[in-house]
Amino acid sequence: MTESFELVDTEDVDSPGDEWEEIDVADTEADRIARRRDREFSEFRKRIKDADQFKVEASVFDDATFAALYKLVQDGYIDAFGGPISTGKEANVYSALGGETAADVLDVDDNPEVAVKVYRINASDFRDMRGYLDGDPRFEGIGHDKKQIVQAWVRKEFANLTRARKAGVRVPEPMAVERNVLVMELLGLDTGRAKRLSEVHVENPETAYEVIREYMRRLYDAGLVHGDLSEYNVILHGEELVVIDLGQAVTVHHPNSREFLERDCHNVAAFFRRQGMDVTDEDLLAFVTDDTSD
Ligand SMILES: Nc1ncnc2c1ncn2[C@@H]1O[C@H](COP(=O)(O)OP(=O)(O)OP(=O)(O)O)[C@@H](O)[C@H]1O
């Protein structure tokens, strides 16, 4: 059997002319850029690993975390890394010198110091995290892949901080989120490590209580419940009380939001009872939900 084929005029055949050369050139340029990026990235990784205060922690970062940090440096949120502030179960918090973009966000002239919260994908208890994302319309359709869950969690913390600020609750100003890394305003700078409410002597507990219950009410009016509020997640920043750790905060749509709110009220009221105040969990709950009969 003979194969049949159609003869075509050579002029109709694409010639390996300009077009092909162009493709070749573009390929080479892309390769060059990719090689340069790889080189810069490994230099960056080495620099972080060699940074004195960063040594131990950096050795536990995976490549994806390095890539996220690298992007944040490129985007001007981070200029130089400082030391660890806290090593938690799920995340470590570091201080860093912010870049130009960070200065723009905070509207300051000099590069500000920033807090960098790095969630550890492997160490995170993502099953527990998954539960907190349930019923949250902002994170519908999130699957069960742990990397995705941790990243959704970090975006959720960023979104919660943004919403809380809009509602008039003093929380750290969120600046950027990249994969498992969150950059935010650094608190308690002048005094070294930021002090928690649990670590200080509260001279005027009445005022502190009024501020915190007002924050809780504003948060609730904005459709959020903190979910882990206590004297450990309120930081003293100068004269201000600042609420932190909004990763687990849920919207009021969450099936357990009422239970979380009651727990928050209990923790807060119990702390102020220990300061000698006559406050009840129920009164606080009624204040927050505006469910007062008077
Ligand atoms: N914006 C910030 N500025 C300064 N310090 C901060 C900031 N955010 C967090 N920290 C410090 O890091 C600690 C841990 O932060 P956070 O509670 O957000 O993380 P976490 O991983 O949930 O911690 P934990 O496992 O202890 O609950 C805080 O107690 C505080 O000392």
Side-chain angles (χ1 to χ4, degrees), residues 86 89 91 93 115 117 184-187 196 233 244-245:
S86 148
K89 294 182 299 295
V93 181
K117 187 168 181 179
M184 60 187 145
E185 169 191 3
L186 183 78
L187 302 169
R196 303 163 179 188
N233 276 332
I244 61 160
D245 201 9

Side-chain angles (χ1 to χ4, degrees), residues 85-95 114-120 153 157 161 171-173 182-189 192-196 199 228 232-235 237 242 244-248:
I85 299 174
S86 148
T87 315
K89 294 182 299 295
E90 282 154 1
N92 294 353
V93 181
Y94 304 92
S95 68
V114 296
V116 182
K117 187 168 181 179
V118 181
Y119 279 89
R120 279 167 298 157
W153 183 270
E157 180 157 3
L161 287 170
V171 295
E173 169 110 43
L182 170 70
V183 182
M184 60 187 145
E185 169 191 3
L186 183 78
L187 302 169
L189 188 58
R193 189 179 65 79
K195 289 265 191 311
R196 303 163 179 188
E199 298 171 313
D228 191 22
Y232 298 100
N233 276 332
V234 177
I235 296 277
H237 180 64
V242 186
I244 61 160
D245 201 9
L246 271 82
Q248 74 294 309

Side-chain angles (χ1 to χ4, degrees), residues 189-210:
L189 188 58
D190 300 338
T191 50
R193 189 179 65 79
K195 289 265 191 311
R196 303 163 179 188
L197 193 55
S198 62
E199 298 171 313
V200 295
H201 171 70
V202 190
E203 301 230 336
N204 48 348
E206 292 78 12
T207 313
Y209 179 67
E210 269 174 33

Side-chain angles (χ1 to χ4, degrees), residues 45-51 53-62 66 69 92 94:
R45 186 162 45 184
K46 187 166 179 320
R47 189 151 55 87
I48 294 191
K49 279 193 168 157
D50 288 349
Q53 292 162 304
F54 230 58
K55 242 175 215 162
V56 182
E57 292 74 21
S59 60
V60 302
F61 290 165
D62 60 5
F66 276 117
L69 292 169
N92 294 353
Y94 304 92

Side-chain angles (χ1 to χ4, degrees), residues 106-125:
L106 291 183
D107 199 16
V108 290
D109 292 335
D110 296 332
N111 287 15
E113 294 217 59
V114 296
V116 182
K117 187 168 181 179
V118 181
Y119 279 89
R120 279 167 298 157
I121 301 215
N122 287 325
S124 303
D125 190 349

